[in-house]
C-alpha cells in the first residue's frame, strides 16, 4: 500500500510531540533527583517523627492498660469490703493501727508498708526523696537499717483526725502485696533460718513460745533458744486461736493480715502493686507520682525474689487441716487482692 506524503500540519504535529516528550522526560528526571535529595536530607527526621508517634501511642496504650488493671484491683477490694463489711470509717478505728502508713508530705504520698513485700526498697526511696541533708547520692546508698529506723519519716497516726482526712483525700496512696502463703514462707525463712542478730532475737521471743506450744517433747535447748522452729510449727502458731485472740493490733507485722495492717476498705488506695509484677508496677507508680525523673526502683538482689522456688518443699509439711486453718485466717486477703483460693492451696499441700 502506498503511503501518503506528509503534509505541513503532520510535520508540525510530530515536532510538538517530540518537544512534549522531551519536556516530560526532563520533568521526570528532575523530580526523581529532587526526591533523592529530599530523601537524603529529610527522610531521617520524618522517620524519627513516625517512630516518636508510635512510641507516644505505645505509651498511651500502656498507661491505659495500667489504669484498667488498677481499676480492676480497686473494684475487687471494694466488692470484698462490701461482702465482709470491713470497717471503713476513720473515726471508728484506733489511730495507732495506722502506724504502717508512711507519709511523704513533700511529694504527697502515703505508703502502707507490708513486711516481706519489698518494703525495704520502698522505704529506701522515701528516705532518699526526703533526704534534706543530701547524704545519699543514690537510693542504693540508703542502708536497710536506716530505711527501717529513719526517725524523720512520719506516719499517718502522727496527725490529727482532720489532718489525716486532708491527706487521705489529696495524696497518692499505694500498697504492695503478694500471695499470703508465700509471704509467710518468706517471713519464716528470714526469721528462723538466717543468722541475723534480729533473727536470733525473734527466735528468742517467738520461737521459744512456738516450740513450747506446738512441739511434743522439745529439748531444753529448743525451749531456751527457739532456734529450730519448723515451718509447720510456725504456721500453726500464726493461725492458732490463742495467738489471734489478743487482737489484730497485737499481732506481729510479719504475719498480720493485709486488711488489718493497711485498712484497704478505709484508705481507698490509688495504686495496688503486686510483688509478682514488682518491677513493672514500680515503674508505673513512679510515673503516676511524677517521680520517675528523680528515682528508679532498685533492682532486686540475686538472692531476693526466690521464695516461690522453695514453696513446694514447705507446702509438703502441711496437712489439709493446716491449710484449712490458714485459709480461714487469710481468706479476706486472698479474695481482696485476687490470689488463688483453697483449691490451689490444697493441691500444693498434697503434691
Amino acid at each position: 500500500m502506498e503511503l501518503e506524503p506528509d503534509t505541513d500540519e503532520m510535520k508540525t504535529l510530530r515536532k510538538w510531540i517530540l518537544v512534549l516528550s522531551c519536556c516530560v522526560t526532563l520533568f521526570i528526571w528532575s523530580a526523581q533527583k529532587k526526591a533523592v535529595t529530599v530523601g537524603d536530607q529529610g527522610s531521617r527526621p520524618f522517620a524519627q517523627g513516625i517512630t516518636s508517634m508510635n512510641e507516644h501511642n505505645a505509651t498511651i496504650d500502656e498507661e491505659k492498660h495500667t489504669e484498667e488493671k488498677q481499676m480492676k484491683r480497686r473494684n475487687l477490694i471494694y466488692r470484698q469490703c462490701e461482702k465482709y463489711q470491713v470497717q471503713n470509717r476513720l473515726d471508728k478505728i484506733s489511730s495507732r493501727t495506722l502506724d504502717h502508713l508512711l507519709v511523704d508530705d513533700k511529694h504527697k504520698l502515703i505508703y502502707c508498708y507490708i513486711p516481706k513485700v519489698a518494703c525495704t526498697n520502698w522505704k529506701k526511696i522515701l528516705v532518699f526523696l526526703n533526704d534534706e541533708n543530701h547524704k545519699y547520692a543514690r537510693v542504693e546508698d540508703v542502708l536497710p537499717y536506716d530505711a527501717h529506723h529513719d526517725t524523720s519519716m512520719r506516719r499517718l497516726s502522727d496527725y490529727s483526725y482532720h489532718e489525716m482526712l486532708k491527706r487521705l483525700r489529696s495524696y497518692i496512696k499505694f500498697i504492695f502485696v503478694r500471695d499470703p502463703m508465700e509471704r509467710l514462707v518468706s517471713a519464716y525463712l528470714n526469721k528462723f533460718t538466717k543468722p541475723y542478730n534480729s533473727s536470733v532475737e525473734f527466735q528468742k521471743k517467738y520461737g521459744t513460745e512456738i516450740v513450747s506450744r506446738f512441739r511434743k517433747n522439745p529439748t531444753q535447748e529448743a525451749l531456751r533458744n527457739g532456734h529450730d522452729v519448723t515451718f509447720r510449727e510456725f504456721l500453726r502458731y500464726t493461725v492458732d486461736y490463742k495467738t489471734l485472740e489478743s487482737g489484730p493490733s497485737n499481732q506481729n507485722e510479719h504475719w498480720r493480715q493485709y486488711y488489718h495492717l493497711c485498712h484497704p476498705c478505709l484508705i481507698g488506695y490509688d495504686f495496688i502493686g503486686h510483688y509478682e509484677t514488682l518491677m513493672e508496677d514500680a515503674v508505673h507508680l513512679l510515673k503516676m507520682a511524677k517521680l520517675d525523673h528523680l528515682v528508679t526502683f532498685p533492682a532486686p538482689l540475686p538472692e531476693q525474689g526466690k521464695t516461690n522456688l522453695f514453696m513446694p518443699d514447705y507446702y509438703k509439711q502441711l496437712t489439709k487441716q493446716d491449710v484449712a486453718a490458714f485459709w480461714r485466717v487469710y481468706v479476706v486477703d486472698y479474695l481482696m487482692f485476687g490470689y488463688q483460693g483453697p483449691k490451689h492451696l490444697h493441691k500444693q499441700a498434697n503434691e
Side-chain angles (χ1 to χ4, degrees):
M1 183 173 65
E2 188 176 346
L3 296 174
E4 295 183 3
D6 284 346
T7 64
D8 292 339
E9 290 82 358
M10 289 295 293
K11 290 179 180 179
T12 302
L13 179 61
R14 277 199 296 271
K15 194 180 293 182
W16 278 109
I17 290 174
L18 181 60
V19 171
L20 183 61
S21 297
C22 291
C23 290
V24 170
T25 301
L26 182 62
F27 175 78
I28 292 174
W29 176 81
S30 177
Q32 288 177 337
K33 184 176 181 181
K34 185 177 180 181
V36 171
T37 303
V38 170
D40 289 342
Q41 297 178 354
S43 61
R44 184 172 299 174
F46 179 74
Q48 288 176 342
I50 293 295
T51 302
S52 178
M53 186 183 302
N54 289 338
E55 291 175 349
H56 177 68
N57 291 337
T59 300
I60 292 175
D61 290 342
E62 185 179 358
E63 290 175 353
K64 182 179 179 182
H65 173 71
T66 299
E67 179 51 35
E68 288 174 351
K69 182 168 65 174
Q70 288 299 315
M71 182 66 74
K72 287 180 181 178
R73 291 176 180 177
R74 290 193 294 266
N75 287 341
L76 183 58
I77 290 175
Y78 176 78
R79 289 197 300 271
Q80 300 308 317
C81 292
E82 290 289 303
K83 178 179 179 180
Y84 289 97
Q85 296 295 300
V86 181
Q87 182 58 256
N88 62 356
R89 288 185 54 179
L90 186 60
D91 59 343
K92 294 296 183 180
I93 66 172
S94 170
S95 62
R96 72 187 184 93
T97 66
L98 302 173
D99 61 345
H100 276 62
L101 288 130
L102 304 178
V103 180
D104 178 351
D105 283 320
K106 181 178 179 181
H107 302 96
K108 298 186 183 304
L109 297 173
I110 295 178
Y111 164 54
C112 185
Y113 72 92
I114 297 175
K116 311 314 301 175
V117 192
C119 72
T120 300
N121 279 339
W122 281 117
K123 287 182 178 181
K124 283 184 176 184
I125 286 178
L126 293 181
V127 170
F128 175 79
L129 289 173
N130 289 281
D131 178 22
E132 295 181 357
N133 297 321
H134 304 290
K135 294 186 295 184
Y136 308 107
R138 306 174 307 148
V139 171
E140 290 80 3
D141 295 336
V142 182
L143 298 176
Y145 181 87
D146 294 334
H148 290 297
H149 298 88
D150 185 85
T151 56
S152 66
M153 203 177 298
R154 300 196 67 182
R155 300 167 189 269
L156 192 63
S157 55
D158 295 335
Y159 297 87
S160 69
Y161 173 77
H162 293 291
E163 287 295 315
M164 282 193 271
L165 276 181
K166 184 174 72 173
R167 285 161 175 77
L168 288 172
R169 288 168 179 165
S170 58
Y171 287 15
I172 292 176
K173 305 169 291 293
F174 70 98
I175 179 178
F176 273 75
V177 297
R178 74 191 295 184
D179 179 284
M181 178 68 86
E182 187 174 307
R183 174 194 175 222
L184 199 66
V185 170
S186 180
Y188 170 77
L189 291 172
N190 181 261
K191 297 303 182 184
F192 291 100
T193 68
K194 305 294 184 184
Y196 308 138
N197 290 334
S198 60
S199 297
V200 173
E201 294 172 5
F202 200 91
Q203 292 160 21
K204 290 272 189 183
K205 180 175 182 179
Y206 294 102
T208 52
E209 183 181 355
I210 292 171
V211 168
S212 66
R213 283 172 54 185
F214 296 98
R215 185 179 300 178
K216 293 181 179 179
N217 303 318
T219 65
Q220 287 301 309
E221 183 183 13
L223 287 171
R224 186 169 56 252
N225 298 319
H227 63 292
D228 60 351
V229 171
T230 68
F231 176 65
R232 185 182 179 220
E233 290 171 340
F234 175 56
L235 180 139
R236 290 179 67 194
Y237 171 78
T238 63
V239 301
D240 184 65
Y241 175 76
K242 185 177 179 181
T243 305
L244 298 171
E245 66 179 352
S246 61
S249 60
N250 294 313
Q251 303 302 312
N252 184 275
E253 62 180 3
H254 288 84
W255 57 78
R256 197 186 311 171
Q257 299 99 314
Y258 301 153
Y259 76 99
H260 282 315
L261 269 178
C262 294
H263 308 282
C265 299
L266 164 67
I267 301 302
Y269 289 97
D270 303 292
F271 192 96
I272 302 108
H274 282 200
Y275 189 78
E276 294 76 11
T277 52
L278 174 62
M279 297 305 293
E280 175 187 340
D281 287 351
V283 168
H284 291 313
L285 172 63
L286 292 174
K287 283 184 179 179
M288 176 182 175
K290 295 181 173 55
L291 295 171
D292 52 317
H293 67 292
L294 295 175
V295 65
T296 56
F297 191 82
L301 298 174
E303 66 272 16
Q304 293 177 325
K306 301 288 182 66
T307 304
N308 61 317
L309 301 178
F310 306 111
M311 293 301 289
D313 294 332
Y314 291 102
Y315 276 128
K316 288 176 183 177
Q317 298 182 25
L318 307 179
T319 66
K320 289 184 177 180
Q321 291 74 23
D322 295 331
V323 172
F326 175 81
W327 174 254
R328 284 194 295 271
V329 173
Y330 291 94
V331 57
V332 177
D333 283 349
Y334 270 92
L335 298 180
M336 269 192 181
F337 297 101
Y339 289 102
Q340 296 185 60
K343 288 183 180 179
H344 162 70
L345 294 175
H346 282 301
K347 179 182 177 183
Q348 293 286 346
N350 291 300
E351 282 184 349

